């Protein structure tokens, strides 16, 4: 299983340097396209995404992840600040579909 990272140019640079396959996206539409490709990979174990894309991800891919356990999707803070406006409890409940 491999780890993939999706973010902007600055956010992906460090991940690329340590050997993680990183995909640079410029906007929401490009993010959806790249994310779809990464989630469809058989070898994807963990997908790291900057939290600036959380809402777009939730709108487009929440149902997809509820149907399969792998890959695990992890959101990390963006360089320009935290975009995720939910508590971790709310986030986990939304991803797994069970209220905690």
């Amino acid at each position: 299983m491999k780890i993939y990272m999706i973010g902007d140019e600055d956010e992906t640079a460090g991940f690329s340097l340590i050997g993680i396959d990183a995909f640079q996206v410029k906007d929401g539409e490009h993010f959806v396209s790249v994310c779809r490709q990464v989630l469809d990979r058989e070898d994807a174990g963990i997908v790291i995404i900057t939290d600036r894309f959380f809402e777009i991800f939730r709108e487009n891919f929440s149902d997809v992840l509820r149907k399969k356990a792998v890959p695990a999707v992890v959101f990390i803070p963006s360089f320009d600040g935290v975009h995720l406006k939910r508590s971790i409890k709310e986030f986990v409940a939304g991803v797994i579909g069970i209220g905690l």
Side-chain angles (χ1 to χ4, degrees), residues 31-32 35 49 51 53-66 73 75 84 86 90-91 94-95:
F31 168 77
V32 170
C35 197
I49 302 173
D51 66 355
F53 298 110
F54 175 76
E55 289 301 323
I56 298 169
F57 182 88
R58 186 175 59 83
E59 292 169 7
N60 291 279
F61 300 103
S62 288
D63 291 339
V64 172
L65 289 184
R66 288 185 181 149
V73 176
F75 290 89
L84 190 58
R86 299 168 65 185
E90 292 171 322
F91 171 72
V95 170

Side-chain angles (χ1 to χ4, degrees), residues 5-17:
M5 196 283 174
I6 303 172
D8 70 14
E9 183 177 4
D10 294 331
E11 294 160 344
T12 57
F15 288 90
S16 294
L17 289 173

